[in-house]
Amino acid sequence: MNKYLEQLVNLSQIDKKIDSYAPRIEGINGELNEKKDEIRSIDEQVETIENEIEELKTQISNTNAHIVEFNNKIKDASKKSGAVKTEKEIKALNLEEDLAKDQLEAANEEISRLERIIDVKHTSEAELKEKKLEIEASLKELENRVSSELEEIEKDRSKVYAQKDSLLGEMNQKVLTFYEKIRKWAKNTAVVPVKKQACYGCFMKINDKTYSNVIKSEDIVTCPHCGRILYKETNEE
């Protein structure tokens, strides 16, 4: 194989490997972010529940104030009962007392209802906090694993960059510029093999003359259809 072509094949493989690191790192960090998002979501839910509980407690406090008011009305009605003289006054007083008792009963029932809701919300809050502890423990394990994986990736990436730097130092600048121009649009398919007389970049069949030049590997040959650099794999029949 032509020296320059061989260098281009090696460079394209190195560039492909370099480009593979970003999605790998993104995928690894994505796992961490998912766990952190779960924890943030739980924190928001807990905060919402705590605010709702405070609101319910305020409602209970207000209802207790009404209970005091209703009890005072009942006491006042009892005190007034000895002073009333007419049947009309007695009926009016009894009506007032009955209304206060009904309001008192409703207020007590409302407090019981609100307290039941608070108990349910406390249970939900405790479950969420328990779930958060489990996720935090899982996150810590994941962080340790991710740290190790990222360290290995960084070591490997440093070696690959060193290989690229070494290769670039040996390459002809015109050939390198030609490669970079194609890579701008073809990305990691700037240099592709020919299989079954077809370009493995655009998958179009190439003519016999171009195929013959690719097989000889004496010059850098490009696909007549897409312009990618072509080479013949050594293991191709």
Side-chain angles (χ1 to χ4, degrees):
M1 183 184 288
N2 175 284
K3 173 188 172 183
Y4 297 137
L5 180 59
E6 185 176 355
Q7 289 175 333
L8 287 174
V9 172
N10 290 337
L11 180 59
S12 69
Q13 291 171 346
I14 288 173
D15 281 334
K16 188 174 183 179
K17 190 167 186 179
I18 288 172
D19 288 348
S20 73
Y21 291 121
R24 282 172 64 190
I25 292 170
E26 186 179 343
I28 291 170
N29 287 327
E31 291 183 64
L32 280 177
N33 292 333
E34 281 180 17
K35 293 290 182 186
K36 291 176 181 178
D37 286 343
E38 284 184 64
I39 291 172
R40 275 194 292 269
S41 176
I42 288 174
D43 286 338
E44 289 171 2
Q45 292 176 65
V46 168
E47 184 180 358
T48 298
I49 289 174
E50 288 174 346
N51 290 336
E52 289 171 348
I53 289 173
E54 287 304 311
E55 177 60 31
L56 290 166
K57 287 180 178 179
T58 299
Q59 291 180 42
I60 289 174
S61 179
N62 292 336
T63 305
N64 276 324
H66 291 314
I67 286 175
V68 172
E69 181 186 334
F70 300 145
N71 277 324
N72 289 335
K73 285 184 179 180
I74 293 170
K75 288 177 183 179
D76 289 343
S78 297
K79 290 177 181 177
K80 291 177 183 178
S81 61
V84 296
K85 297 177 181 179
T86 65
E87 185 177 344
K88 185 178 180 180
E89 288 176 334
I90 292 172
K91 284 183 179 180
L93 191 60
N94 287 339
L95 184 62
E96 184 183 338
E97 185 177 5
D98 289 342
L99 179 60
K101 286 179 179 178
D102 289 342
Q103 290 173 323
L104 178 63
E105 184 179 355
N108 282 319
E109 288 176 356
E110 177 65 6
I111 286 177
S112 296
R113 186 185 74 84
L114 294 172
E115 286 176 341
R116 286 195 298 272
I117 294 174
I118 287 175
D119 288 341
V120 170
K121 290 192 177 295
H122 275 310
T123 299
S124 297
E125 182 184 12
E127 289 173 353
L128 285 170
K129 287 181 176 179
E130 174 113 8
K131 185 179 179 182
K132 179 182 175 180
L133 289 174
E134 292 173 1
I135 295 174
E136 284 177 334
S138 173
L139 176 62
K140 193 165 186 64
E141 292 178 6
L142 184 59
E143 284 175 335
N144 291 334
R145 178 170 65 82
V146 164
S147 176
S148 177
E149 288 180 9
L150 291 177
E151 188 177 339
E152 287 300 315
I153 288 175
E154 194 54 43
K155 286 180 182 177
D156 190 44
R157 183 159 60 175
S158 296
K159 290 179 183 177
V160 173
Y161 271 113
Q163 290 174 359
K164 181 175 180 177
D165 288 341
S166 175
L167 181 57
L168 291 177
E170 300 172 359
M171 291 185 69
N172 179 288
Q173 286 304 306
K174 288 184 179 179
V175 173
L176 182 59
T177 300
F178 179 61
Y179 164 78
E180 291 295 347
K181 191 177 292 186
I182 297 174
R183 183 170 156 75
K184 279 183 181 179
W185 59 267
K187 308 302 180 187
N188 286 318
T189 63
V191 182
V192 294
V194 172
K195 297 180 182 179
K196 297 180 181 178
Q197 204 170 329
C199 165
Y200 258 55
C202 64
F203 301 100
M204 296 285 288
K205 187 174 181 179
I206 59 176
N207 58 55
D208 293 341
K209 183 181 178 182
T210 302
Y211 186 52
S212 176
N213 289 334
V214 172
I215 292 174
K216 289 177 184 177
S217 299
E218 293 175 354
D219 298 304
I220 294 174
V221 181
T222 57
C223 174
H225 305 291
C226 67
R228 289 176 171 87
I229 298 168
L230 303 175
Y231 71 95
K232 180 180 177 293
E233 286 188 323
T234 54
N235 62 348
E236 186 187 5
E237 294 180 0

